[in-house]
Amino acid sequence: MKRKGFERQNIAQLAGYVPGEQRSDVAVIKLNTNESPYPTSPKVQDAIATVGIESLRRYPQPTADRFRSTAASVHQVAIENVIATRGGDELLRLLLTTYVDPGACVGMTDPTYSLYPVLTAIQDAKVVSIPLEADWSLPQNFSSQINANHCQLTFIVNPHAPSGRLIGQAALQVLASEIEGILVIDEAYVDFVSDEDHDLTQWAIASDNIVLLRTLSKGYGLAGLRVGYGIGPVHLIEPMLHKTRDSYNLDAISQQLADVALGDQAYAKSVWAKVRASRNDLKRALQDLGLAVSASESNFLLATVPSECALSAEALYEGLKAAHILVRYFADDRLKDKLRITVGTPQENAQLLAQLTALLRGGQSTASR
Amino acid sequence: MKRKGFERQNIAQLAGYVPGEQRSDVAVIKLNTNESPYPTSPKVQDAIATVGIESLRRYPQPTADRFRSTAASVHQVAIENVIATRGGDELLRLLLTTYVDPGACVGMTDPTYSLYPVLTAIQDAKVVSIPLEADWSLPQNFSSQINANHCQLTFIVNPHAPSGRLIGQAALQVLASEIEGILVIDEAYVDFVSDEDHDLTQWAIASDNIVLLRTLSKGYGLAGLRVGYGIGPVHLIEPMLHKTRDSYNLDAISQQLADVALGDQAYAKSVWAKVRASRNDLKRALQDLGLAVSASESNFLLATVPSECALSAEALYEGLKAAHILVRYFADDRLKDKLRITVGTPQENAQLLAQLTALLRGGQSTASR
């Protein structure tokens, strides 16, 4: 009596999200999922030592108020402008759950963070995917395409992934005023922007349709902890905070450690400065190897392998992988001649460059064009 | 240019879930949210000491395989029969997301766990709420009412909350064979069942429409950690595991600590035995005070305050609260003359009984009938 077909149609048709490769079996240089090359603040280690099992017996504070209060203080907004989430991913889901009807449209660029279309499909909403220009800028008619499809919500990752390109506040203001729905600006990589004056928070909280996404996974070395947060006007934050969020979305330990990590801004800023310096060094070195590298304000670089190279991007990816160096390769049409490389420590970057040099000189890779 | 009304209609109409009262300001005897009166295994404390910030730098294992493997071993099922979730609450949400279309019906009893109707409303599905009999048993026509409404999914909390009543496997088998949709058996409190032969896991994984919910929040003293899991046939677990679950739903620390806690079955069983003994003692003592107490296979008791008592249930709740003893009071029609009391340590139970005795003798409470 096997009654199959319990799955909703949109779920049955869905191919799930495939996270970047994680390997724990061998020592790898992991430059494929944009984690921080440096651990989080040492104060977090001190905080771990204070966690007692008695404190885990009870339910955690439901809305992570202490962490939200620290986030509010860091960004000089009110605690009501902040929602704490299980990584940025939970915020993306909550935005769709709360603001997008099944059957409605969700706008995004092509390429973009590959989770957006998956979460949109889970909500049984339609993806409106608008190709970026050759230089990864938004096309002139982006807003009009969004509005023509009545997108209830639009995702922009800024700095952009996988290119690293940054859209400035002036252009975003035009965009936000033009589109009729909610604009989600996914700032997962914003900590690595060179211009320290780039700060959208005051604008966002005063807006009627902007939500910013932040995460501790990249800039705070805490991808394993799963903590992110959203910043926006109260009328957009409150329904997610008090209605659609799982009642206790953040466990007690994550709340405590995330609070300590976010609170140590001096340490975090020192890490960001090191990553920026390494990014600029790595970019020059990749260019010296003959690769074309997009301008990046993020902690990764998108490198194009020219057609005259001895090896294709895919062959380089495979060759690096054989040498236990992971970078990200996307098979998509516009990306198949490129590699996305997370900025590592100076030592990791040097090992990457040495291996790339060897591969490009030929003979050390089994894969060839 | 304030464009309000971004919220979906079903969300705008929703009143969010209200968790049981949490107070951190004063020392309270907390018998209102069914946490364990004992901390988790001391091995978890040892595990906390091994957590290093370097390990938090990378993304966690996406599907919590080590924890799932331990759960599979504990229950003698395959790892593919298990999904690890952020508390049982995440599993409830994933079941709705994956198996219930907006507009469709979800079955449940009245009363039941008050989160079910909230999550159902978030999915824009309809609640079919079927009143239990006076003794909290299912009405004879339960299945036919479920089927008449074409419920795609039905939630049964077993042991029942807030009464503690257990439905045995034979009755559940009849129910599961009769209903046309998925049957979710929420076993949040199953660790406290006296009959150690009560075990639905082998039946569930061989079924076509059963999913069991388990949690570490009650029986493992880890409400603060937010870890639960589902057990069911692969065709029901897999879509949630690989499609609708947030990519990294469990952080690295939770995965590690939950694995250790679940793995220490000997310790957990010793706690459950102590709670059962205290439950039986507390029940007798409450009856001696003149309260009617439902038979409970859970870690709480539902006590009815007879109308001839000097104080109403609500007045007793308020009187206990004034004495820093929290129990749960529900204003609902069928529950307004009752208190749900979590079984505490023998010392906590004694303090509760002393205060109740004083209140019932009059004079020590400001609230009166």
Side-chain angles (χ1 to χ4, degrees):
Chain A
M1 192 201 53
K2 209 76 180 159
R3 291 174 300 199
K4 290 276 188 180
F6 288 117
E7 262 178 285
R8 294 169 61 200
Q9 199 180 351
N10 62 314
I11 307 296
Q13 291 170 346
L14 182 74
Y17 175 73
V18 179
E21 209 167 342
Q22 306 285 350
R23 285 169 65 169
S24 53
D25 51 333
V26 287
V28 292
I29 295 179
K30 198 164 174 308
L31 305 175
N32 66 330
T33 49
N34 301 342
E35 288 114 331
S36 172
Y38 302 102
T40 192
S41 162
K43 291 180 182 171
V44 174
Q45 190 70 64
D46 300 340
I48 292 171
T50 71
V51 175
I53 54 174
E54 175 60 27
S55 72
L56 298 176
R57 198 166 62 77
R58 295 190 178 179
Y59 282 90
Q61 204 282 326
T63 43
D65 285 354
R66 189 160 164 176
F67 170 79
R68 288 168 63 225
S69 166
T70 297
S73 163
V74 164
H75 297 291
Q76 304 199 35
V77 300
I79 189 172
E80 292 78 14
N81 294 119
V82 180
I83 178 173
T85 55
R86 179 119 314 258
D89 293 355
E90 185 189 9
L91 179 63
L92 299 173
R93 173 172 51 75
L94 290 176
L95 285 158
L96 291 166
T97 302
T98 311
Y99 296 112
V100 178
D101 291 306
C105 286
V106 175
M108 59 195 72
T109 66
D110 177 28
T112 191
Y113 179 28
S114 56
L115 184 63
Y116 300 154
V118 175
L119 294 176
T120 301
I122 292 173
Q123 182 66 358
D124 204 8
K126 292 176 192 145
V127 172
V128 173
S129 180
I130 300 174
L132 293 174
E133 302 291 350
D135 65 352
W136 312 114
S137 64
L138 294 177
Q140 280 293 334
N141 65 353
F142 184 81
S143 300
S144 60
Q145 289 191 65
I146 292 295
N147 290 341
N149 287 284
H150 305 292
C151 291
Q152 291 183 328
L153 186 145
T154 299
F155 291 119
I156 296 278
V157 51
N158 191 51
H160 179 247
S163 75
R165 184 188 175 107
L166 181 76
I167 308 176
Q169 180 167 344
L172 289 168
Q173 281 179 322
V174 172
L175 179 60
S177 70
E178 286 174 349
I179 68 170
E180 286 155 15
I182 292 173
L183 179 63
V184 178
I185 304 176
D186 179 343
E187 297 193 297
Y189 301 104
V190 77
D191 300 322
F192 306 106
V193 170
S194 299
D195 177 4
E196 295 197 7
D197 289 339
H198 177 85
D199 182 349
L200 306 180
T201 49
Q202 297 307 315
W203 168 57
I205 63 165
S207 78
D208 70 317
N209 67 336
I210 313 287
V211 176
L212 306 180
L213 178 152
R214 296 287 187 119
T215 180
L216 275 68
S217 296
K218 316 292 183 184
Y220 293 85
L222 285 174
L225 198 65
R226 315 307 305 127
V227 180
Y229 54 105
I231 303 173
V234 176
H235 69 273
L236 293 183
I237 296 296
E238 192 278 338
M240 300 188 287
L241 189 62
H242 295 300
K243 294 181 177 180
T244 50
R245 186 182 52 83
D246 284 350
S247 327
Y248 300 99
N249 61 332
L250 284 188
D251 65 277
I253 300 177
S254 296
Q255 290 187 35
Q256 186 185 344
L257 304 191
D259 179 55
V260 172
L262 191 68
D264 194 351
Q265 284 290 303
Y267 177 86
K269 285 179 179 171
S270 73
V271 165
W272 306 338
K274 282 197 284 187
V275 170
R276 278 184 213 119
S278 294
R279 173 182 73 205
N280 298 339
D281 293 344
L282 181 60
K283 182 180 174 187
R284 275 189 297 270
L286 290 169
Q287 288 170 328
D288 289 347
L289 282 176
L291 307 183
V293 185
S294 300
S296 172
E297 293 290 335
S298 189
N299 71 334
F300 53 80
L301 294 167
L302 189 66
T304 303
V305 182
S307 53
E308 61 270 24
C309 260
L311 294 172
S312 69
E314 188 172 12
L316 282 174
Y317 159 75
E318 293 291 351
L320 289 169
K321 189 172 167 179
H324 295 172
I325 299 174
L326 296 181
V327 299
R328 193 79 182 252
Y329 174 73
F330 302 93
D332 320 39
D333 242 17
R334 290 180 71 180
L335 297 170
K336 65 185 179 189
D337 63 343
K338 304 181 201 310
L339 297 175
R340 194 196 66 188
I341 302 169
T342 306
V343 177
T345 61
Q347 191 189 7
E348 289 173 324
N349 297 339
Q351 291 180 262
L352 167 79
L353 289 165
Q355 191 62 34
L356 268 180
T357 305
L359 287 166
L360 288 169
R361 284 182 188 156
Q364 302 215 10
S365 168
T366 54
S368 66
R369 196 154 214 130
Chain B
M1 192 201 52
K2 209 72 180 161
R3 292 173 299 199
K4 290 275 187 180
F6 288 117
E7 263 180 284
R8 294 169 60 200
Q9 201 181 348
N10 61 315
I11 306 295
Q13 289 170 348
L14 182 74
Y17 175 74
V18 180
E21 210 166 344
Q22 306 285 349
R23 283 171 65 170
S24 53
D25 51 332
V26 288
V28 293
I29 296 179
K30 198 165 174 306
L31 305 175
N32 66 331
T33 49
N34 301 340
E35 288 115 329
S36 172
Y38 302 102
T40 193
S41 163
K43 290 181 182 169
V44 174
Q45 190 70 64
D46 301 340
I48 291 170
T50 71
V51 175
I53 53 174
E54 176 58 30
S55 72
L56 298 177
R57 197 166 62 78
R58 294 189 178 179
Y59 283 90
Q61 205 282 324
T63 44
D65 286 354
R66 190 162 164 173
F67 171 79
R68 288 168 62 225
S69 167
T70 296
S73 164
V74 165
H75 296 292
Q76 304 199 35
V77 299
I79 189 171
E80 292 79 14
N81 294 120
V82 180
I83 179 173
T85 55
R86 181 122 308 263
D89 292 354
E90 185 190 9
L91 179 63
L92 299 173
R93 172 172 52 74
L94 290 177
L95 285 158
L96 291 166
T97 302
T98 312
Y99 297 112
V100 178
D101 291 305
C105 286
V106 175
M108 59 195 72
T109 67
D110 178 28
T112 192
Y113 179 28
S114 56
L115 184 63
Y116 301 155
V118 176
L119 294 176
T120 301
I122 292 173
Q123 182 66 358
D124 204 9
K126 291 175 193 146
V127 172
V128 173
S129 181
I130 300 174
L132 292 174
E133 302 291 350
D135 66 353
W136 311 113
S137 64
L138 294 177
Q140 280 293 336
N141 65 354
F142 185 80
S143 301
S144 60
Q145 288 191 66
I146 293 294
N147 290 341
N149 287 284
H150 305 292
C151 291
Q152 293 184 327
L153 186 145
T154 299
F155 290 118
I156 297 278
V157 53
N158 190 50
H160 179 246
S163 75
R165 183 188 176 104
L166 181 76
I167 307 176
Q169 182 167 342
L172 289 168
Q173 281 178 324
V174 172
L175 179 60
S177 69
E178 286 174 351
I179 67 171
E180 286 154 16
I182 291 173
L183 179 63
V184 178
I185 304 175
D186 180 343
E187 298 194 295
Y189 302 103
V190 79
D191 300 322
F192 306 106
V193 171
S194 299
D195 177 5
E196 294 197 7
D197 289 339
H198 178 86
D199 182 350
L200 307 180
T201 50
Q202 297 307 315
W203 168 58
I205 63 165
S207 78
D208 70 317
N209 67 336
I210 314 287
V211 175
L212 306 180
L213 178 152
R214 297 286 187 119
T215 179
L216 275 69
S217 296
K218 317 291 183 184
Y220 293 85
L222 285 175
L225 198 64
R226 314 307 305 126
V227 181
Y229 54 106
I231 302 174
V234 176
H235 69 274
L236 292 183
I237 297 296
E238 191 278 338
M240 298 188 288
L241 190 61
H242 294 300
K243 293 180 178 180
T244 49
R245 185 183 53 82
D246 283 350
S247 327
Y248 300 98
N249 61 332
L250 284 188
D251 65 277
I253 300 176
S254 296
Q255 290 187 33
Q256 186 185 344
L257 304 191
D259 179 54
V260 172
L262 191 68
D264 195 351
Q265 284 291 303
Y267 177 86
K269 286 178 179 172
S270 72
V271 165
W272 305 339
K274 282 197 285 187
V275 170
R276 278 183 212 119
S278 294
R279 174 183 72 205
N280 299 340
D281 293 345
L282 181 59
K283 182 181 174 186
R284 274 190 297 272
L286 290 170
Q287 287 171 329
D288 289 347
L289 282 176
L291 307 184
V293 185
S294 299
S296 172
E297 294 289 335
S298 190
N299 71 334
F300 53 80
L301 294 166
L302 189 66
T304 303
V305 182
S307 54
E308 61 269 25
C309 260
L311 294 173
S312 69
E314 188 173 12
L316 283 174
Y317 159 75
E318 293 290 352
L320 289 169
K321 188 171 167 180
H324 295 173
I325 299 175
L326 296 182
V327 299
R328 193 78 182 253
Y329 174 73
F330 302 94
D332 319 39
D333 241 16
R334 290 181 69 181
L335 297 170
K336 65 185 180 192
D337 62 343
K338 305 181 200 310
L339 298 174
R340 194 195 66 188
I341 302 170
T342 306
V343 177
T345 61
Q347 190 188 9
E348 289 172 325
N349 298 339
Q351 291 180 263
L352 167 79
L353 288 164
Q355 191 62 33
L356 268 180
T357 305
L359 287 167
L360 287 168
R361 283 182 189 156
Q364 303 216 9
S365 168
T366 52
S368 66
R369 197 155 212 129

